[in-house]
Amino acid sequence: MKLSSLLIVIAAFGQSHAWTGRPNSNVIASNVNDGIKRHQAKKVTVLLDPSSVRGGTALEMTPSSSLVTTLVPRIGILTSTLLYFSPFTAVRQASTTESLNDLNPVPLAIMAVSSLCWLVYGLSVRDPFVTLSNVPGSIASVWYVTAVLPLLKGSQLQTTQNIVVGLSALTINLWTWLALTNRSLEQVSSALGLFASALFIVLSGSPLSTIKTVLSTKNSKSILTQLTFAQITNTALWSAYGLAIKDKFVYGPNMAGLGFGLIQLALKLVFPSK
């Protein structure tokens, strides 16, 4: 997807109300009052807190919080796309030269499953920002895995295959269990959010899987610079958005990811790539 096309899609959500996962509280209140007037003889029970499905509580909208819940996630869609595409150059180079060099395949293997889980969570809570931010990554990460697998050998190949197959098996079994058991929408969304959060925390820390090599060689070349900066920027924005909408499944893993990103940055500064 071209950047201009992505910007058009993001802008469209600023004007469209066709699919809004987090409706405006004033609109809800107005609808409730109208309903009470029409049905004064009946007891009306209305869910006023859509964020409860996401593990949060109601948010009182202010000008500043409105900015965080509209502008920040739109920028977050761009930063998420940059995060997912940050390994693109390294993977393309490895595929062209048929040599992995210092490229770490572990984050790519985890990304392939993590991005898909976040896409499904975004769909379950009907959040266009969470959903759109993971569509490019779900596609790109599948290509990353298929591109690097032929270049892997020995224990590195086995580890990568085990990660992809193992995480995919956990994901498929979770989705099957949620579909075949009598679970409420809130329970399903919470389970999906918890699982996606756990995977994202693992993904954010996976570049540090080579920390032993970095410390022993005093060379941080195995930690991608583009991925580090994209991770810090992206997780900072999504942490702010998650806190604003009080969704622990958004701000929790992103705050952890921000911490891991800062550790990667510190390693890059202390042990520059050679």
Side-chain angles (χ1 to χ4, degrees):
M1 179 184 292
K2 293 183 179 180
L3 182 60
S4 59
S5 301
L6 183 61
L7 288 172
I8 293 174
V9 173
I10 296 171
F13 275 97
Q15 301 175 355
S16 173
H17 299 285
W19 181 40
T20 306
R22 307 181 191 275
N24 185 285
S25 57
N26 293 330
V27 175
I28 296 176
S30 176
N31 292 339
V32 171
N33 291 333
D34 291 342
I36 292 175
K37 291 178 180 178
R38 288 195 302 268
H39 305 281
Q40 291 183 352
K42 298 181 180 179
K43 181 180 178 180
V44 180
T45 303
V46 182
L47 178 63
L48 293 177
D49 183 12
S51 66
S52 62
V53 177
R54 303 160 181 83
T57 56
L59 176 67
E60 182 180 353
M61 298 299 294
T62 63
S64 59
S65 63
S66 178
L67 180 66
V68 173
T69 57
T70 54
L71 178 60
V72 168
R74 290 175 188 170
I75 300 175
I77 293 176
L78 295 177
T79 57
S80 293
T81 302
L82 292 176
L83 173 65
Y84 285 129
F85 278 87
S86 57
F88 180 83
T89 302
V91 173
R92 184 177 61 179
Q93 182 178 0
S95 179
T96 302
T97 61
E98 297 185 352
S99 175
L100 201 62
N101 294 320
D102 294 308
L103 181 63
N104 184 4
V106 173
L108 305 179
I110 300 173
M111 184 186 295
V113 182
S114 176
S115 56
L116 182 60
C117 289
W118 273 108
L119 175 61
V120 172
Y121 173 68
L123 291 170
S124 74
V125 297
R126 299 179 66 82
D127 189 315
F129 302 121
V130 174
T131 301
L132 284 177
S133 64
N134 287 281
V135 170
S138 298
I139 299 171
S141 57
V142 172
W143 177 74
Y144 296 153
V145 172
T146 58
V148 301
L149 275 179
L151 308 178
L152 302 177
K153 298 178 181 179
S155 60
Q156 199 173 42
L157 173 61
Q158 185 176 3
T159 299
T160 304
Q161 288 176 327
N162 289 341
I163 290 174
V164 174
V165 175
L167 293 180
S168 298
L170 284 175
T171 303
I172 292 171
N173 278 282
L174 173 64
W175 292 351
T176 302
W177 177 71
L178 291 174
L180 298 181
T181 55
N182 188 22
R183 301 287 169 178
S184 65
L185 175 60
E186 180 178 354
Q187 291 174 322
V188 170
S189 296
S190 294
L192 293 173
L194 183 61
F195 186 68
S197 297
L199 281 183
F200 184 78
I201 292 174
V202 174
L203 172 63
S204 299
S206 61
L208 297 175
S209 60
T210 61
I211 190 171
K212 184 177 179 180
T213 303
V214 172
L215 295 176
S216 61
T217 61
K218 301 186 184 305
N219 182 2
S220 61
K221 190 175 181 180
S222 60
I223 300 177
L224 293 177
T225 303
Q226 302 96 315
L227 180 62
T228 299
F229 282 106
Q231 179 172 322
I232 292 173
T233 305
N234 183 63
T235 53
L237 286 170
W238 284 105
S239 293
Y241 176 62
L243 288 170
I245 62 174
K246 299 183 189 286
D247 188 336
K248 61 185 178 183
F249 297 131
V250 175
Y251 70 74
N254 277 286
M255 291 180 72
L258 177 59
F260 284 129
L262 293 175
I263 294 175
Q264 294 170 42
L265 178 61
L267 289 173
K268 297 293 289 184
L269 294 175
V270 175
F271 306 112
S273 301
K274 297 179 182 179

